[in-house]
Amino acid sequence: MVQNDHERLHFSQSQHLELNNRLTAIRERIAKTAESAGRNPEDIRLIAVTKTASPVLAEHLLTLGIQDMAENRWQVAREKLVHPFAARVRWHFIGPLQSNKIKSIASAFSVVHALEDAEHAEQFEQILTSLGKHMEAFVQVNVSGEPQKHGVHPENLHLLLQKLQNYKFLRVVGLMTMAPLTRDYIEIRRTFRGLANLLGEERERLSWGNLQYLSMGMSNDYELAIAEGATHLRIGRQLVSLEDTPEGGESR
Ligand SMILES: *Cc1c(COP(=O)(O)O)cnc(C)c1O
């Protein structure tokens, strides 16, 4: 990933102020949207997606009170995780999973959002058992059924959840989705509602209290996600793309 040397070495007072302003604006929008949806803003967790941000920016986010941060690639995450501040962050892995990275992810992260495969889940459970470490997981669902998208098909969700239900160290706490790439907010909202409905159905079918959270909503659509019950927002660009930060990485 391209990184701006100036930014890596130095974070100016004006950048800190801008970051603070953005964070305040996002928090206010979350609170407002939650209230107009009749929800308690405290039930909504803001996760800062730092995949395009420098370690110094991430460290400033921590000083501004952000405790949850997300990365989508192990190689990029590793550069941040070596910094001392990283030990005080609750790290979420939101990228697609590969077998050869699961051991590293299980050791370094607290939460995984894009579980979609029973074999990966089994690998996590085995590694976590040997580490004696608990980890939370979201199962990613391809609600809109687009062919190229990650996530389990809604028809296969129940079977997958049944397989994961008795794990001791990997604790499935909810479902995750990404909205289709469209400006059609009705379609986006339909996707979020679809995930919320699936969560409700599976909670009944499995009578499984652990399963309670919805990881959905990004920079462009988090208000729609809140209206449909999101509990975990994954926000990147709107928070971390400061004026002179290069637009690195792929955001979706
Ligand atoms: C990058 C990313 C986000 C954040 O997207 P923004 O549009 O930058 O807010 C959220 N979820 C996943 C899985 C991502 O890869």
Side-chain angles (χ1 to χ4, degrees), residues 2 6 24 27 29 39 52 60 69-70 98 105-106 115 134 149 154 161 204 209 218 232 246:
V2 193
H6 156 77
T24 304
R27 282 181 171 145
R29 279 175 76 182
R39 301 187 53 203
T52 62
H60 279 259
M69 298 187 199
Q98 290 171 301
I105 293 167
L115 202 62
H134 292 269
K149 257 177 93 169
L161 290 175
E204 277 193 18
M218 316 192 340
H232 292 63

Side-chain angles (χ1 to χ4, degrees), residues 75-90:
Q75 296 299 340
V76 175
R78 205 160 58 167
E79 293 168 19
K80 292 191 185 77
L81 294 165
V82 296
H83 292 261
F85 82 89
R88 292 187 284 137
V89 174
R90 189 171 141 86

